Amino acid sequence: ETGVTQTPRHLVMGMTNKKSLKCEQHLGHNAMYWYKQSAKKPLELMFVYNFKEQTENNSVPSRFSPECPNSSHLFLHLHTLQPEDSALYLCASSRDPTDTQYFGPGTRLTVL
Amino acid sequence: RKEVEQDPGPFNVPEGATVAFNCTYSNSASQSFFWYRQDCRKEPKLLMSVYSSGNEDGRFTAQLNRASQYISLLIRDSKLSDSATYLCVVDDYNQGGKLIFGQGTELSVKP
């Protein structure tokens, strides 16, 4: 399935690096999301964008910076991360915020 | 009370068993309900939406009880391939407009 794609699929970075995660959806959806999932833990909603506007920031540290240039693309810019930020970062999209969400395959991030 | 709460699991069942998962939600105004499935180290995928009248898809049956704010998922004739984590999902109607995911219930089907 290629409805929601994420790159890179795997990322290893040092604590001083700056990197970006990219998400693209080909479903014509208006809402996009970033989630964090640590090992054996539930999904944690990080950010919600609806029609390119951020509608939710779930108390996420400023070392995570989202960007939504249009309804099809979503980025998560990372800088000065901590080892505890190592997790699976999932992007999702939906027609509207209460509709079915479709997830990308995720980026597995390791912070050394 | 958690917004969406599921059976803690894990559930370990033999092939062919029937297993039921329960989920409760706190927002009585919620309108959208779903069950998602997440395989190990993969992304969640929609299993089925849950309708007021209840709905069935093959071996899977979902029920909604609005009065009790309760959702269930029944899996009949379990297969090895059903092993996964099952996520209950509810919208937070009137509180920002987004879906709330439960913590998931892990199912392991053994031969």
Side-chain angles (χ1 to χ4, degrees):
Chain A
E1 293 181 20
T2 58
V4 182
T5 58
Q6 288 187 245
T7 54
R9 295 292 305 276
H10 300 271
L11 178 62
V12 179
M13 60 187 287
M15 292 166 63
T16 58
N17 291 157
K18 286 185 181 182
K19 297 285 184 186
S20 295
L21 310 185
K22 179 182 174 182
C23 175
E24 184 173 0
Q25 58 96 0
H26 311 273
L27 300 169
H29 289 164
N30 300 308
M32 295 188 78
Y33 313 81
W34 280 117
Y35 289 88
K36 173 184 178 182
Q37 189 171 38
S38 303
K40 299 285 189 182
K41 295 262 185 84
L43 285 171
E44 297 175 44
L45 179 65
M46 300 174 74
F47 302 104
V48 180
Y49 278 83
N50 195 24
F51 290 98
K52 302 190 299 177
E53 299 297 319
Q54 187 181 119
T55 58
E56 181 122 0
N57 176 337
N58 217 15
S59 303
V60 180
S62 60
R63 57 186 184 270
F64 295 93
S65 173
E67 179 190 359
C68 188
N70 55 61
S71 292
S72 299
H73 293 85
L74 186 64
F75 295 89
L76 188 62
H77 304 299
L78 317 170
H79 63 99
T80 59
L81 294 193
Q82 305 297 312
E84 59 265 29
D85 296 323
S86 299
L88 179 67
Y89 288 85
L90 289 157
C91 173
S93 73
S94 65
R95 193 169 46 186
D96 68 66
T98 60
D99 202 1
T100 308
Q101 289 182 19
Y102 295 86
F103 286 81
T107 295
R108 192 159 297 281
L109 173 68
T110 302
V111 181
L112 301 176
Chain B
R1 182 182 176 184
K2 286 185 184 176
E3 292 174 290
V4 178
E5 196 150 8
Q6 298 186 234
D7 288 335
F11 284 48
N12 296 300
V13 304
E15 265 186 298
T18 295
V19 60
F21 301 134
N22 299 317
C23 172
T24 57
Y25 60 96
S26 61
N27 184 354
S28 59
S30 293
Q31 301 290 316
S32 304
F33 309 91
F34 309 93
W35 283 101
Y36 276 70
R37 169 196 169 126
Q38 186 173 23
D39 292 285
C40 188
R41 299 177 71 83
K42 295 282 185 73
E43 74 274 22
K45 292 187 178 179
L46 178 69
L47 180 65
M48 56 199 305
S49 300
V50 186
Y51 304 118
S52 296
S53 54
N55 46 303
E56 188 173 309
D57 182 2
R59 298 181 294 108
F60 299 83
T61 300
Q63 297 279 352
L64 168 64
N65 184 322
R66 285 189 184 273
S68 302
Q69 294 177 214
Y70 169 94
I71 305 160
S72 65
L73 176 68
L74 184 76
I75 305 176
R76 289 181 299 279
D77 188 24
S78 301
K79 311 290 185 193
L80 296 177
S81 56
D82 294 334
S83 297
T85 296
Y86 291 82
L87 303 168
C88 173
V89 185
V90 177
D91 77 277
D92 70 343
Y93 191 81
N94 275 346
Q95 295 181 31
K98 62 181 183 291
L99 297 183
I100 309 292
F101 284 74
Q103 77 273 26
T105 301
E106 187 180 344
L107 171 66
S108 179
V109 181
K110 307 290 187 186

